[in-house]
Amino acid sequence: MPGIGRFVELLKGDRPVRNLAGRLLWQTGLCRRFTIRKDGYSLRFFPSSVSCAYWIDPDARVEDERVVTRMLDPGGTYVDVGANVGTLAAAAAMKVGPSGRVVAVEANPTIAGFLRENMLLNGFGHVQVHNRAVGSVPGTIRISQRRADDMNFVSAGTDGDGVTVEMTTLDDLAGGLGTIDLLKIDVEGFEKFVLEGAAKTLSVARNVYIELFDENFARYGYGSREILCRLEAAGFTCFVVGQDDVLTEGAPDAALCLNVLATHDASDLERRGFRLPASVRCSGA
């Protein structure tokens, strides 16, 4: 049970009662008896911070879901590196339909189990789930087991907290998929190493949706500029996704956590309803 200070903290926000109830269900394990209804699919309320956030507010992080589904069509291919419990993978699976393909990758074994169960819950037979880390070279790596499971990160060492998992490259994992309509990467600072092992994948990916956060990157000794340079070298134009689907081109300040949508075809983004900067608007082109 939370202390008095924690109890008061839980009662803050727009949904204080549901917030408190969700945390209690999570801590007691009773959460598994509940499901979270989303637009066309469901998620099990697993004992995880992400599941709890969606149980408290099913529309949490709706901006990511809107970007992912907007960038996909029926029959398309979506690859999700850092899929967590599978919210975006499920939304993508609904959009591409049984004729499409979804590859969902989650390194943490516990969370990968939740991901797999969520796909089974919805009957998404066209979703492939992989419990692996993704990096620059094959091998093994350790991943943390944080209570805030959306903040688990990988380490190149074999010591410390966490669990050892197999690591592969994105080129090995996604080889044979052909054209990828959207590649999403969110791996808590390990993004640089994912891209280093993804040269072939980037050549067949139409769009990349990736998180930039210098605080996470500093754990591995690099900055957001390295991510942008690698994407630009692969022929992508990079835009920061803002409110109301407004896209901003240029070097972002990643002191805050930002989402970047990189594309080979800016005109396609405009057709899909994103608002491009005046300098790159393609209407009539």
Side-chain angles (χ1 to χ4, degrees), residues 38 41 43 50 54 60 65 80 83-92 115 118-119:
K38 298 285 289 177
Y41 64 93
L43 302 171
V50 171
Y54 279 109
E65 294 179 53
D80 190 333
N84 204 272
V85 299
T87 308
L88 297 182
L115 165 64
N118 275 331
M119 299 304 104

Side-chain angles (χ1 to χ4, degrees), residues 114-243:
F114 299 161
L115 165 64
R116 186 172 285 107
E117 288 190 50
N118 275 331
M119 299 304 104
L120 290 172
L121 174 67
N122 291 278
F124 290 147
H126 55 298
V127 177
Q128 300 176 22
V129 175
H130 297 276
N131 176 207
R132 299 180 187 176
V134 179
S136 57
V137 293
T140 58
I141 208 161
R142 289 190 71 82
I143 186 161
S144 64
Q145 288 272 37
R146 289 187 168 190
R147 184 169 177 79
D149 53 85
D150 58 337
M151 297 182 182
N152 281 317
F153 59 92
V154 297
S155 169
T158 56
D159 56 347
D161 296 332
V163 61
T164 300
V165 298
E166 178 186 354
M167 184 169 70
T168 186
T169 67
L170 193 52
D171 281 348
D172 286 343
L173 192 69
L177 284 180
T179 299
I180 297 170
D181 296 288
L182 182 63
L183 165 63
K184 171 255 175 184
I185 307 173
D186 182 358
V187 286
E188 299 303 305
F190 212 64
E191 283 81 358
K192 170 187 173 183
F193 307 102
V194 173
L195 293 178
E196 285 178 349
K200 294 179 182 177
T201 306
L202 291 178
S203 71
V204 297
R206 291 175 173 167
N207 306 282
V208 178
Y209 189 46
I210 190 167
E211 182 179 84
L212 294 189
F213 191 17
D214 278 334
E215 182 177 313
N216 286 340
F217 297 157
R219 182 184 293 130
Y220 304 102
Y222 72 98
S224 58
R225 189 64 236 173
E226 290 190 49
I227 298 292
L228 296 173
C229 286
R230 185 170 291 274
L231 289 171
E232 289 164 358
F236 290 93
T237 301
C238 300
F239 300 94
V240 176
V241 182
Q243 292 184 342

